[in-house]
Amino acid sequence: MGHDIDRLHLHHVGHVVSDLEEGLELYRRLGFHLSPPACPVLSLREGEPPRPIGAANTHANFPRSFVELMSCVSDDDPDRLPRGARRIPIQAPPEHLPRITAAIRSTVARVASCLARFQGLHILVFKTSDADATAGRLSAEGVRHGGVNTVRRPIDTASGTRMEPTRLVEIDSDEPEEARAGRVSEGRLAVAEDPPAEVLDAQLDLDHPNGAVALVGSVLCVARAALPDVERRYEKYLGRPARADGPTRVFELEGSQVTLVADADLDTLLPGERAPALPAFAAYAVAVRDLGAARRLLEENGLPLRRSAAGDLFVPAAAALGAAIVFRQAD
Protein backbone atom coordinates (compact mmCIF):
# COMPACT_ATOMS: atom_id res chain seq x y z
CA MET A 1 0.00 0.00 0.00
CA GLY A 2 1.41 3.38 -1.02
CA HIS A 3 1.46 6.52 1.09
CA ASP A 4 -1.31 8.10 -0.98
CA ILE A 5 -3.59 5.15 -0.27
CA ASP A 6 -3.30 5.64 3.49
CA ARG A 7 -4.45 9.25 3.10
CA LEU A 8 -7.40 8.71 0.78
CA HIS A 9 -10.59 10.38 1.92
CA LEU A 10 -13.67 11.99 0.39
CA HIS A 11 -12.94 15.02 -1.76
CA HIS A 12 -16.47 15.84 -2.93
CA VAL A 13 -19.82 14.51 -4.07
CA GLY A 14 -21.90 15.94 -6.91
CA HIS A 15 -25.65 16.51 -6.72
CA VAL A 16 -27.11 16.98 -10.21
CA VAL A 17 -30.45 18.80 -10.38
CA SER A 18 -32.83 19.80 -13.14
CA ASP A 19 -33.26 23.38 -11.91
CA LEU A 20 -30.29 25.04 -10.23
CA GLU A 21 -32.43 27.81 -8.74
CA GLU A 22 -34.56 25.17 -7.02
CA GLY A 23 -31.41 23.41 -5.86
CA LEU A 24 -30.01 26.63 -4.39
CA GLU A 25 -33.22 27.21 -2.44
CA LEU A 26 -33.16 23.63 -1.10
CA TYR A 27 -29.54 23.92 0.07
CA ARG A 28 -30.25 27.21 1.81
CA ARG A 29 -33.14 25.56 3.68
CA LEU A 30 -30.78 22.69 4.54
CA GLY A 31 -28.52 25.27 6.19
CA PHE A 32 -25.60 25.25 3.76
CA HIS A 33 -23.80 28.42 2.71
CA LEU A 34 -23.22 28.21 -1.05
CA SER A 35 -20.70 30.03 -3.18
CA PRO A 36 -22.24 32.09 -6.02
CA PRO A 37 -23.07 29.73 -8.89
CA ALA A 38 -20.70 29.91 -11.83
CA CYS A 39 -21.06 29.11 -15.51
CA PRO A 40 -18.62 29.38 -18.42
CA VAL A 41 -19.43 31.90 -21.15
CA LEU A 42 -18.00 31.58 -24.62
CA SER A 43 -18.30 33.23 -28.03
CA LEU A 44 -19.28 30.29 -30.21
CA ARG A 45 -18.30 32.17 -33.37
CA GLU A 46 -15.79 34.91 -33.94
CA GLY A 47 -17.40 38.29 -33.41
CA GLU A 48 -20.43 36.95 -31.49
CA PRO A 49 -21.05 38.06 -27.90
CA PRO A 50 -20.23 35.43 -25.28
CA ARG A 51 -23.12 33.30 -24.02
CA PRO A 52 -23.52 30.83 -21.16
CA ILE A 53 -22.71 27.29 -22.19
CA GLY A 54 -22.14 23.95 -20.51
CA ALA A 55 -22.91 23.32 -16.87
CA ALA A 56 -23.48 25.75 -14.03
CA ASN A 57 -22.42 24.77 -10.52
CA THR A 58 -21.90 25.94 -6.98
CA HIS A 59 -20.23 24.48 -3.88
CA ALA A 60 -20.95 24.08 -0.19
CA ASN A 61 -17.33 24.21 0.97
CA PHE A 62 -15.72 22.70 4.05
CA PRO A 63 -12.06 23.06 5.04
CA ARG A 64 -10.94 19.93 3.14
CA SER A 65 -14.01 18.74 1.19
CA PHE A 66 -17.16 20.05 -0.45
CA VAL A 67 -20.55 19.24 -1.93
CA GLU A 68 -21.11 20.29 -5.54
CA LEU A 69 -24.55 21.29 -6.84
CA MET A 70 -24.81 21.43 -10.61
CA SER A 71 -27.14 21.55 -13.60
CA CYS A 72 -27.07 21.97 -17.38
CA VAL A 73 -27.37 25.28 -19.19
CA SER A 74 -29.94 24.77 -21.92
CA ASP A 75 -29.13 25.78 -25.51
CA ASP A 76 -32.81 26.74 -25.81
CA ASP A 77 -32.52 29.22 -22.93
CA PRO A 78 -28.82 29.89 -22.27
CA ASP A 79 -29.50 33.02 -20.21
CA ARG A 80 -31.61 31.15 -17.65
CA LEU A 81 -29.07 31.29 -14.85
CA PRO A 82 -29.77 31.76 -11.14
CA ARG A 83 -29.68 35.27 -9.71
CA GLY A 84 -26.16 36.36 -8.89
CA ALA A 85 -24.52 33.72 -11.09
CA ARG A 86 -20.94 34.42 -12.07
CA ARG A 87 -20.12 34.23 -15.76
CA ILE A 88 -16.63 32.81 -16.23
CA PRO A 89 -15.30 33.92 -19.64
CA ILE A 90 -13.43 31.38 -21.73
CA GLN A 91 -11.12 33.08 -24.18
CA ALA A 92 -9.39 31.17 -26.93
CA PRO A 93 -8.05 31.71 -30.43
CA PRO A 94 -10.68 31.02 -33.13
CA GLU A 95 -8.89 27.87 -34.27
CA HIS A 96 -9.33 26.36 -30.78
CA LEU A 97 -13.04 27.11 -30.47
CA PRO A 98 -14.29 23.89 -32.11
CA ARG A 99 -12.27 21.72 -29.71
CA ILE A 100 -13.30 23.71 -26.63
CA THR A 101 -16.95 23.79 -27.70
CA ALA A 102 -16.91 20.03 -28.30
CA ALA A 103 -15.45 19.43 -24.82
CA ILE A 104 -18.11 21.62 -23.20
CA ARG A 105 -20.90 19.91 -25.12
CA SER A 106 -19.50 16.56 -24.00
CA THR A 107 -19.84 17.75 -20.40
CA VAL A 108 -23.42 18.84 -21.07
CA ALA A 109 -24.21 15.46 -22.59
CA ARG A 110 -22.78 13.71 -19.54
CA VAL A 111 -24.84 15.83 -17.14
CA ALA A 112 -27.94 15.34 -19.29
CA SER A 113 -27.42 11.58 -19.26
CA CYS A 114 -27.27 11.71 -15.45
CA LEU A 115 -30.56 13.58 -15.31
CA ALA A 116 -32.09 11.11 -17.75
CA ARG A 117 -31.43 8.40 -15.15
CA PHE A 118 -32.61 10.44 -12.16
CA GLN A 119 -32.14 13.72 -10.34
CA GLY A 120 -29.73 13.14 -7.49
CA LEU A 121 -26.16 12.07 -6.72
CA HIS A 122 -23.99 11.15 -9.69
CA ILE A 123 -20.44 12.17 -8.74
CA LEU A 124 -18.00 10.79 -6.15
CA VAL A 125 -14.42 12.03 -6.00
CA PHE A 126 -11.75 10.81 -3.59
CA LYS A 127 -8.77 12.83 -2.45
CA THR A 128 -5.19 11.70 -2.80
CA SER A 129 -1.91 13.40 -1.96
CA ASP A 130 -0.30 12.12 -5.18
CA ALA A 131 -2.34 11.75 -8.39
CA ASP A 132 0.58 10.22 -10.30
CA ALA A 133 1.09 7.50 -7.68
CA THR A 134 -2.65 6.81 -7.64
CA ALA A 135 -2.76 6.53 -11.43
CA GLY A 136 0.12 4.07 -11.28
CA ARG A 137 -1.56 1.99 -8.59
CA LEU A 138 -4.85 1.88 -10.52
CA SER A 139 -3.02 0.76 -13.65
CA ALA A 140 -1.25 -1.97 -11.68
CA GLU A 141 -4.67 -3.15 -10.44
CA GLY A 142 -5.98 -3.29 -14.00
CA VAL A 143 -8.35 -0.35 -13.50
CA ARG A 144 -8.99 1.70 -16.64
CA HIS A 145 -8.58 5.45 -16.23
CA GLY A 146 -7.94 8.60 -18.22
CA GLY A 147 -4.51 9.42 -16.82
CA VAL A 148 -3.68 12.51 -14.81
CA ASN A 149 -5.42 15.63 -16.11
CA THR A 150 -5.73 19.16 -14.77
CA VAL A 151 -8.96 21.09 -14.25
CA ARG A 152 -9.53 24.42 -12.54
CA ARG A 153 -11.56 24.84 -9.37
CA PRO A 154 -12.83 28.26 -8.22
CA ILE A 155 -11.89 29.07 -4.63
CA ASP A 156 -13.17 32.24 -2.98
CA THR A 157 -10.66 34.02 -0.77
CA ALA A 158 -10.41 37.48 0.77
CA SER A 159 -8.27 38.54 -2.20
CA GLY A 160 -10.86 37.34 -4.75
CA THR A 161 -11.80 34.17 -6.59
CA ARG A 162 -8.82 32.03 -7.54
CA MET A 163 -9.07 29.45 -10.30
CA GLU A 164 -6.82 26.82 -8.74
CA PRO A 165 -5.50 23.93 -10.86
CA THR A 166 -6.58 20.50 -9.63
CA ARG A 167 -4.89 17.33 -10.83
CA LEU A 168 -7.22 14.36 -11.05
CA VAL A 169 -7.63 10.86 -12.42
CA GLU A 170 -10.99 9.89 -13.93
CA ILE A 171 -11.86 6.22 -13.40
CA ASP A 172 -13.32 4.48 -16.46
CA SER A 173 -15.53 1.45 -16.74
CA ASP A 174 -14.50 -1.81 -18.30
CA GLU A 175 -17.83 -1.69 -20.18
CA PRO A 176 -17.35 0.12 -23.55
CA GLU A 177 -20.67 2.01 -23.45
CA GLU A 178 -20.05 3.31 -19.94
CA ALA A 179 -16.43 4.21 -20.72
CA ARG A 180 -17.53 6.25 -23.74
CA ALA A 181 -19.93 8.14 -21.49
CA GLY A 182 -17.02 9.01 -19.18
CA ARG A 183 -18.32 7.13 -16.17
CA VAL A 184 -18.76 3.83 -14.41
CA SER A 185 -22.26 2.41 -14.07
CA GLU A 186 -23.09 4.33 -10.87
CA GLY A 187 -21.83 7.71 -12.13
CA ARG A 188 -18.62 9.69 -12.33
CA LEU A 189 -15.71 8.48 -10.19
CA ALA A 190 -12.38 10.24 -9.85
CA VAL A 191 -9.42 10.75 -7.54
CA ALA A 192 -8.13 14.31 -7.12
CA GLU A 193 -5.37 16.23 -5.43
CA ASP A 194 -6.24 19.29 -3.38
CA PRO A 195 -4.82 22.78 -3.92
CA PRO A 196 -2.06 23.74 -1.45
CA ALA A 197 -3.11 23.89 2.19
CA GLU A 198 -2.51 27.64 2.37
CA VAL A 199 -5.08 28.16 -0.40
CA LEU A 200 -7.69 25.98 1.31
CA ASP A 201 -7.03 27.69 4.63
CA ALA A 202 -7.80 31.05 2.97
CA GLN A 203 -11.27 29.97 1.79
CA LEU A 204 -14.24 32.13 2.71
CA ASP A 205 -17.75 31.13 3.79
CA LEU A 206 -16.92 27.90 5.60
CA ASP A 207 -19.30 28.71 8.45
CA HIS A 208 -22.60 27.01 7.60
CA PRO A 209 -25.80 27.76 9.54
CA ASN A 210 -26.32 24.00 10.01
CA GLY A 211 -22.84 23.66 11.53
CA ALA A 212 -21.51 21.33 8.80
CA VAL A 213 -17.72 20.94 8.93
CA ALA A 214 -16.87 18.00 6.65
CA LEU A 215 -18.12 15.51 4.09
CA VAL A 216 -17.86 12.17 5.88
CA GLY A 217 -19.84 9.55 3.98
CA SER A 218 -21.24 8.29 0.69
CA VAL A 219 -23.75 5.45 0.26
CA LEU A 220 -23.81 3.37 -2.92
CA CYS A 221 -26.83 1.14 -3.46
CA VAL A 222 -26.55 -1.83 -5.82
CA ALA A 223 -28.47 -4.96 -6.75
CA ARG A 224 -27.84 -7.72 -4.24
CA ALA A 225 -26.42 -10.05 -6.88
CA ALA A 226 -23.96 -7.35 -7.95
CA LEU A 227 -22.70 -6.53 -4.46
CA PRO A 228 -19.66 -8.89 -4.47
CA ASP A 229 -18.45 -7.58 -7.84
CA VAL A 230 -18.93 -3.94 -6.82
CA GLU A 231 -17.07 -4.60 -3.57
CA ARG A 232 -14.14 -6.04 -5.53
CA ARG A 233 -14.15 -3.01 -7.85
CA TYR A 234 -13.96 -0.58 -4.94
CA GLU A 235 -11.22 -2.64 -3.31
CA LYS A 236 -9.17 -1.94 -6.42
CA TYR A 237 -10.14 1.73 -6.55
CA LEU A 238 -9.35 2.36 -2.89
CA GLY A 239 -6.54 -0.12 -2.33
CA ARG A 240 -8.09 -1.68 0.77
CA PRO A 241 -10.72 -4.26 1.76
CA ALA A 242 -14.16 -3.43 3.07
CA ARG A 243 -15.37 -4.49 6.49
CA ALA A 244 -18.71 -6.18 6.96
CA ASP A 245 -21.20 -4.19 9.04
CA GLY A 246 -24.49 -6.08 9.11
CA PRO A 247 -25.84 -6.09 5.56
CA THR A 248 -23.43 -3.36 4.40
CA ARG A 249 -19.81 -3.27 3.29
CA VAL A 250 -17.86 -0.26 4.57
CA PHE A 251 -14.62 1.16 3.20
CA GLU A 252 -12.87 3.17 5.90
CA LEU A 253 -11.03 6.22 4.59
CA GLU A 254 -9.33 9.03 6.48
CA GLY A 255 -12.15 10.62 8.46
CA SER A 256 -14.83 9.32 6.09
CA GLN A 257 -16.48 6.19 4.71
CA VAL A 258 -17.96 4.70 1.57
CA THR A 259 -20.80 2.28 2.29
CA LEU A 260 -22.08 -0.33 -0.14
CA VAL A 261 -25.57 -1.68 0.44
CA ALA A 262 -27.90 -3.97 -1.50
CA ASP A 263 -31.17 -2.44 -2.67
CA ALA A 264 -33.24 -4.69 -0.40
CA ASP A 265 -31.25 -3.48 2.62
CA LEU A 266 -31.23 0.27 1.95
CA ASP A 267 -34.39 0.66 4.03
CA THR A 268 -32.57 -0.99 6.95
CA LEU A 269 -29.76 1.57 6.73
CA LEU A 270 -31.94 4.59 5.91
CA PRO A 271 -35.56 3.82 6.82
CA GLY A 272 -38.03 4.63 4.07
CA GLU A 273 -35.41 5.11 1.34
CA ARG A 274 -35.47 3.41 -2.05
CA ALA A 275 -32.80 3.66 -4.71
CA PRO A 276 -33.81 5.74 -7.76
CA ALA A 277 -31.97 3.27 -10.03
CA LEU A 278 -29.38 0.53 -9.70
CA PRO A 279 -26.58 1.11 -9.11
CA ALA A 280 -26.87 4.61 -7.63
CA PHE A 281 -25.33 6.87 -5.04
CA ALA A 282 -28.28 7.09 -2.65
CA ALA A 283 -27.00 9.40 0.08
CA TYR A 284 -24.13 11.41 1.45
CA ALA A 285 -23.29 12.39 5.03
CA VAL A 286 -21.87 15.55 6.57
CA ALA A 287 -20.54 16.00 10.08
CA VAL A 288 -22.01 18.90 12.08
CA ARG A 289 -20.74 20.63 15.21
CA ASP A 290 -24.06 20.28 17.07
CA LEU A 291 -26.61 17.76 15.85
CA GLY A 292 -29.34 19.19 18.08
CA ALA A 293 -28.86 22.66 16.64
CA ALA A 294 -28.87 21.26 13.11
CA ARG A 295 -32.11 19.44 13.84
CA ARG A 296 -33.79 22.61 15.09
CA LEU A 297 -32.75 24.54 11.98
CA LEU A 298 -33.99 21.82 9.63
CA GLU A 299 -37.30 21.54 11.44
CA GLU A 300 -37.76 25.33 11.45
CA ASN A 301 -37.21 25.28 7.70
CA GLY A 302 -39.95 22.69 7.24
CA LEU A 303 -37.77 19.75 6.22
CA PRO A 304 -38.83 16.22 7.21
CA LEU A 305 -36.33 14.25 9.29
CA ARG A 306 -35.76 10.58 9.98
CA ARG A 307 -33.27 8.59 12.04
CA SER A 308 -30.79 6.29 10.34
CA ALA A 309 -29.92 2.86 11.69
CA ALA A 310 -26.78 4.44 13.19
CA GLY A 311 -28.79 7.15 14.95
CA ASP A 312 -27.92 9.98 12.55
CA LEU A 313 -30.54 12.40 11.23
CA PHE A 314 -31.33 12.50 7.53
CA VAL A 315 -33.54 14.40 5.14
CA PRO A 316 -35.25 11.87 2.82
CA ALA A 317 -34.39 11.93 -0.87
CA ALA A 318 -38.02 12.71 -1.73
CA ALA A 319 -37.64 16.05 0.08
CA ALA A 320 -34.11 16.80 -1.17
CA LEU A 321 -34.20 16.54 -4.97
CA GLY A 322 -33.29 12.86 -5.11
CA ALA A 323 -30.47 12.70 -2.54
CA ALA A 324 -30.86 11.53 1.06
CA ILE A 325 -28.72 13.93 3.11
CA VAL A 326 -27.38 12.61 6.41
CA PHE A 327 -26.35 14.83 9.34
CA ARG A 328 -23.94 13.25 11.82
CA GLN A 329 -22.52 14.57 15.07
CA ALA A 330 -18.86 15.46 14.56
CA ASP A 331 -16.34 13.75 16.83
Side-chain angles (χ1 to χ4, degrees):
M1 301 284 178
H3 180 64
D4 68 305
I5 300 169
D6 296 335
R7 293 181 59 102
L8 274 181
H9 61 90
L10 294 182
H11 185 273
H12 76 274
V13 295
H15 189 172
V16 182
V17 297
S18 300
D19 184 326
L20 191 56
E21 191 74 67
E22 184 181 15
L24 288 166
E25 176 57 26
L26 167 69
Y27 270 71
R28 291 182 186 116
R29 291 175 61 217
L30 288 164
F32 291 106
H33 185 98
L34 296 165
S35 59
C39 180
V41 293
L42 176 68
S43 298
L44 297 179
R45 296 177 184 82
E46 190 174 3
E48 285 189 353
R51 55 183 283 178
I53 184 172
N57 70 346
T58 179
H59 296 160
N61 290 309
F62 315 118
R64 293 295 184 272
S65 54
F66 63 93
V67 175
E68 180 181 23
L69 182 67
M70 70 183 305
S71 188
C72 290
V73 175
S74 170
D75 281 351
D76 297 331
D77 191 9
D79 293 318
R80 187 171 175 267
L81 291 176
R83 295 183 299 275
R86 295 180 295 191
R87 288 162 166 79
I88 308 298
I90 298 176
Q91 298 177 336
E95 63 271 19
H96 292 169
L97 283 177
R99 176 180 56 81
I100 293 171
T101 303
I104 292 173
R105 295 207 184 282
S106 175
T107 298
V108 171
R110 183 161 62 180
V111 175
S113 70
C114 291
L115 287 171
R117 289 189 74 212
F118 60 88
Q119 179 174 236
L121 299 170
H122 291 275
I123 299 167
L124 177 60
V125 179
F126 304 102
K127 179 186 172 183
T128 177
S129 59
D130 189 333
D132 293 305
T134 297
R137 177 180 63 79
L138 291 172
S139 294
E141 290 280 4
V143 175
R144 294 177 56 169
H145 61 83
V148 179
N149 294 295
T150 301
V151 298
R152 294 191 175 273
R153 169 185 166 190
I155 295 181
D156 294 323
T157 69
S159 59
T161 300
R162 302 175 54 155
M163 297 302 292
E164 283 293 321
T166 299
R167 303 176 75 242
L168 84 165
V169 181
E170 297 267 7
I171 295 174
D172 294 333
S173 172
D174 289 331
E175 299 297 326
E177 287 301 319
E178 292 170 359
R180 278 196 291 273
R183 59 176 173 82
V184 294
S185 54
E186 57 269 25
R188 178 192 174 211
L189 278 181
V191 186
E193 291 181 5
D194 252 347
E198 60 268 21
V199 175
L200 294 178
D201 290 340
Q203 291 181 98
L204 298 176
D205 302 324
L206 299 180
D207 189 15
H208 300 276
N210 61 20
V213 293
L215 174 67
V216 294
S218 175
V219 177
L220 173 58
C221 186
V222 303
R224 185 180 296 282
L227 186 59
D229 286 341
V230 176
E231 181 179 351
R232 283 190 287 271
R233 271 205 288 127
Y234 275 75
E235 285 179 352
K236 291 181 178 180
Y237 299 158
L238 301 175
R240 68 200 69 201
R243 65 173 173 84
D245 184 6
T248 69
R249 299 294 179 266
V250 180
F251 289 91
E252 297 288 355
L253 306 177
E254 185 176 287
S256 55
Q257 300 173 329
V258 175
T259 301
L260 308 184
V261 62
D263 53 333
D265 296 316
L266 180 60
D267 178 74
T268 302
L269 186 68
L270 297 170
E273 290 300 294
R274 296 183 61 186
L278 292 176
F281 298 117
Y284 71 84
V286 293
V288 296
R289 286 188 294 268
D290 184 333
L291 190 59
R295 176 173 193 151
R296 289 190 291 275
L297 180 145
L298 295 166
E299 289 177 337
E300 288 169 2
N301 289 340
L303 290 160
L305 290 173
R306 296 178 185 158
R307 283 280 183 185
S308 73
D312 302 322
L313 294 175
F314 73 95
V315 176
L321 300 179
I325 301 174
V326 180
F327 295 84
R328 180 174 300 159
Q329 177 64 51
D331 292 338

